[in-house]
Amino acid sequence: MNSQQIINTAKMLVSNDKGLLAMDESNPTCNKRFTKLGIPQTEEARRSYRELIVTAPGLGEFISGAILYDETIRQFKKDGTMFVKVITDAGIIPGIKVDTGAKDLAGHPGEKITEGLDGLRDRLKEYYQMGARFAKWRAVIAVGDCIPSQSCIEANAHALARYASLCQEAGLVPIVEPEVLMDGGHTLEQCSEITEKVLRTVFNQLYTQRVILEGIILKPNMVLPGLTCSKQATVDEVADATVKCLLRAVPASVPGIAFLSGGQTPELASVRLNAMNVKFRSRLPWEMAFSFARAIQQPALEIWQGEESNVLEAQKALYHRAMCNRSARRGEYNSLIERNKT
Ligand code: 13P
C-alpha cells in the first residue's frame, strides 16, 4: 500500500471547491428511474445516458471524481473511447461502487446489511488496473419503531471498515457511506441522535481495522427530519444540527465530508450545503463537499427522456447543477445563481 498516494487522492477529491458526481446507480436502480420517464430499460439506453454525462462539456470545472458502476466502467463512447479515458481526460478521477447492494438483515425485520466483501480484494485489483482510484460502499440505516438496532449499526459499520481497509490495501480511497434514511416520521433530533451513534460506531470500526483516516472520504446523510414528520426543519436548523453532529463524531484527520442527497430536491440540497458552508466553513477541520446522484442528475435525466435531440440541453442542466453545488461549497450559492441557467 502506498499511503501517501491514497492521502493525496483523498485530498484531491475535495480540493478546489469541487465535489463528486455519483453516477453509480445499479442496473435495477437506473432502470427504475428510466421507467418513471418512459425510457427503455436496455444496456444501450444506460450507456447512452452515461455517455451524455461523461461528455458534458466543462464538468471537470466543478467535479473532482465520478463514481461509476461495474457495467459503466467497462463501457465506451459511441466512437470507441472508454468512459474511464473520457473522464480522466476531463480532469475527473474515476471511482467505482463496489458493494453488491443492501439485503435483508437476518432476524431483523425492516433492517438491511450491505453485502460485497467476498472476493472484494480481487475485484479492487481489477478496478485499479482499469483506472479507478477510489471506491464507494453504501450502508443503509432505516429509522422506525425500535430501529435501528445496535446489531444492524454494528454489522454495517464492521462491513464498511473491512471494505475501507481492503480499498487502501489496493491503493483506492474508500468513500465510506453510512446513510441514515429520510423515510419515516422521525424528528430532526432523532435523526441527529441516530446519525451520531452510527458515525461513532463507524469510526470505532475504522480504527479497529487500521484504516488511515487521512485517506478516506466520509459520505454521510445530512441531519434531517423524516419525510413524514409533522415538524419540518428550517435551512438553518438543518445546517446547525448537521454540523453539530459531525463535529461530535468525525475526527479532524478526515480530509473531507461529501454529503449524499438522499432524495432531497436538487435545490434544497444546494441550499442546505450552502448554509453549512456560510455559517461554519472557516471553523471546520474538514472540507464540506457533495457526492450527489439524484440532486445533480435528476433535472438532466428529465430533459433527456432518452432522446438524442435533448442531449445538449440535458448536459447544460447537468453542468448547471454541478456549478450550483460548487457555489454552495463556497457559501456563495443564491437564487440568482440558481436561475442563471445559461
Ligand atoms: P443520492 O445523492 O441520490 O442520495 O445518491 C448518492 C449515492 O451515491 C447513493 O449511494
Side-chain angles (χ1 to χ4, degrees):
M1 176 195 354
N2 180 344
S3 333
Q4 198 51 50
Q5 181 201 322
I6 295 163
I7 293 168
N8 292 345
T9 306
K11 264 194 208 136
M12 266 165 14
L13 287 171
V14 288
S15 61
N16 298 322
D17 298 320
K18 295 185 188 181
L20 305 176
L21 167 62
M23 49 180 290
D24 60 325
E25 299 83 7
S26 63
N27 290 348
T29 302
C30 193
N31 288 343
K32 219 180 342 168
R33 302 211 172 130
F34 281 11
T35 310
K36 278 193 190 147
L37 297 166
I39 301 166
Q41 298 144 56
T42 59
E43 180 177 350
E44 178 48 25
R46 291 191 298 272
R47 196 208 58 76
S48 301
Y49 176 56
R50 264 67 184 252
E51 175 164 345
L52 175 164
I53 296 177
V54 301
T55 59
L59 211 55
E61 294 167 40
F62 316 120
I63 299 297
S64 55
I67 315 174
L68 309 174
Y69 180 60
D70 184 72
E71 178 180 83
T72 323
I73 199 170
R74 300 171 195 281
Q75 283 175 326
F76 302 80
K77 263 174 67 179
K78 264 223 168 84
D79 71 6
T81 320
M82 279 206 90
F83 283 168
V84 175
K85 177 165 168 28
V86 180
I87 292 170
T88 312
D89 288 351
I92 297 172
I93 303 172
I96 180 78
K97 168 191 171 78
V98 299
D99 67 69
T100 54
K103 310 284 160 56
D104 290 342
L105 178 63
H108 294 72
E111 297 195 283
K112 302 273 184 198
I113 177 71
T114 301
E115 295 187 348
L117 286 172
D118 287 353
L120 183 57
R121 176 177 273 133
D122 291 337
R123 287 195 290 131
L124 292 174
K125 223 179 263 168
E126 188 194 5
Y127 289 138
Y128 187 94
Q129 278 161 6
M130 293 173 93
R133 289 296 175 268
F134 71 101
K136 184 195 101 167
W137 179 290
R138 171 175 177 256
V140 292
I141 307 292
V143 183
D145 279 348
C146 302
I147 63 171
S149 62
Q150 186 63 28
S151 34
C152 172
I153 294 173
E154 275 175 17
N156 276 292
H158 180 75
L160 274 167
R162 292 269 323 277
Y163 138 83
S165 184
L166 281 162
C167 282
Q168 291 190 337
E169 179 190 271
L172 295 153
V173 171
I175 306 285
V176 175
E177 181 180 6
E179 175 175 6
V180 176
L181 296 175
M182 278 165 72
D183 308 271
H186 53 276
T187 62
L188 181 80
E189 292 73 22
Q190 284 170 313
C191 179
S192 175
E193 207 173 293
I194 292 164
T195 303
E196 183 181 337
K197 188 172 183 181
V198 168
L199 292 176
R200 283 182 186 273
T201 312
V202 166
F203 280 101
N204 267 332
Q205 288 290 332
L206 291 173
Y207 174 68
T208 307
Q209 295 299 327
R210 304 184 178 170
V211 173
I212 303 163
L213 294 186
E214 290 83 352
I216 74 161
I217 300 294
L218 178 70
K219 176 165 173 168
N221 50 284
M222 294 184 193
V223 173
L224 302 167
L227 283 172
T228 54
C229 175
S230 55
K231 189 172 178 290
Q232 287 300 311
T234 64
V235 171
D236 274 348
E237 284 167 347
V238 169
D240 292 350
T242 304
V243 171
K244 187 171 172 185
C245 175
L246 295 171
L247 278 171
R248 286 180 172 175
V250 184
S253 49
V254 172
I257 290 174
F259 292 102
L260 58 92
S261 58
Q264 303 175 68
T265 63
E267 286 189 31
L268 255 186
S270 301
V271 167
R272 288 166 170 164
L273 178 62
N274 184 65
M276 283 184 243
N277 279 301
V278 167
K279 292 185 89 167
F280 303 106
R281 181 181 159 105
S282 59
R283 293 185 271 146
L284 296 176
W286 1 260
E287 299 280 339
M288 274 198 302
F290 55 90
S291 176
F292 299 156
R294 284 163 286 181
I296 289 189
Q297 288 185 46
Q298 197 58 29
L301 181 60
E302 285 169 15
I303 292 168
W304 178 56
Q305 300 268 347
E307 300 292 337
E308 185 62 31
S309 55
N310 296 333
V311 165
L312 285 182
E313 276 311 303
Q315 287 179 325
K316 277 190 205 162
L318 191 69
Y319 178 88
H320 177 68
R321 282 260 58 84
M323 187 268 288
C324 284
N325 288 309
R326 196 271 309 264
S327 303
R329 277 211 56 182
R330 293 178 166 170
E332 293 173 353
Y333 171 80
N334 56 39
S335 56
L336 269 182
I337 291 177
E338 180 59 53
R339 283 200 303 271
N340 180 10
K341 305 220 159 149
T342 52

